[in-house]
Amino acid sequence: MPGKVGMIAGLFFGLAFGMGGIGSAVLGHLADRTSIHFVFLVCSYLPLIGLLTGFLPEVGGQPKS
């Protein structure tokens, strides 16, 4: 959306903070149900999930040359 950079940035920041709040609530609930040690183990695998996104196929757009 040309000319709407501030609006898009606000939407992305709002989404990021909202997802962070939901994630912290979920992890807090998981810690209450299990233990904080288990939550630390779960969180240690989160960067691996991020690294695996590099292997996702490209969808649409211009092919890389």
Side-chain angles (χ1 to χ4, degrees):
M1 297 178 69
K4 305 275 186 188
V5 176
M7 182 185 75
I8 300 300
L11 285 172
F12 273 97
F13 274 105
L15 178 68
F17 278 102
M19 293 301 288
I22 291 170
S24 66
V26 167
L27 289 174
H29 181 73
L30 185 63
D32 288 342
R33 292 281 181 187
T34 59
S35 67
I36 193 69
H37 179 71
F38 180 74
V39 173
F40 284 161
L41 288 175
V42 168
C43 288
S44 69
Y45 287 104
L46 293 177
L48 180 62
I49 295 170
L51 289 174
L52 289 176
T53 60
F55 294 110
L56 289 173
E58 294 215 15
V59 179
Q62 303 253 342
K64 290 185 179 178
S65 53

